[in-house]
Amino acid sequence: MKKFFGIIALAITLALTGCSTVIPVSAGAATITEKEGKSSGGTLLGLIFWGDASMAKAAKNGNITKVATCDEKITSILGLLVFRTTVVTGE
């Protein structure tokens, strides 16, 4: 019986783990500077959305007019709950 509960606890722990990935989206002609802008959003079950993780919003948040790089960080928990953060650098 103890072994059964141990296996169930391990299965639940593994099921609730998430993963995070950073993906380079694009690179522009602007020089890379210390200016950085971020925007975030997420989705639950692919049906409920919140936030604005667009590149335009990230550039606006960082007061960037010329984009040098754009990266997107995606964190997913079982594919059910997904968080996106867009990071833009530039001038």
Side-chain angles (χ1 to χ4, degrees):
M1 193 67 154
K2 263 186 170 179
K3 195 174 194 179
F4 175 74
F5 285 121
I7 291 171
I8 296 297
L10 178 63
I12 290 171
T13 302
L14 290 175
L16 294 178
T17 59
C19 63
S20 183
T21 305
V22 176
I23 303 167
V25 177
S26 67
T31 325
I32 298 175
T33 63
E34 290 185 16
K35 286 176 87 174
E36 180 180 275
K38 293 183 180 183
S39 61
S40 299
T43 180
L44 176 65
L45 300 174
L47 299 171
I48 302 169
F49 300 91
W50 65 88
D52 182 0
S54 68
M55 189 163 79
K57 180 70 172 176
K60 183 178 176 183
N61 289 344
N63 198 24
I64 296 171
T65 55
K66 295 180 182 177
V67 175
T69 64
C70 177
D71 296 327
E72 184 176 42
K73 179 182 177 185
I74 302 170
T75 303
S76 174
I77 300 173
L78 295 176
L80 304 174
L81 185 59
V82 179
F83 300 100
R84 294 179 182 271
T85 302
T86 303
V87 180
V88 172
T89 61
E91 301 174 13

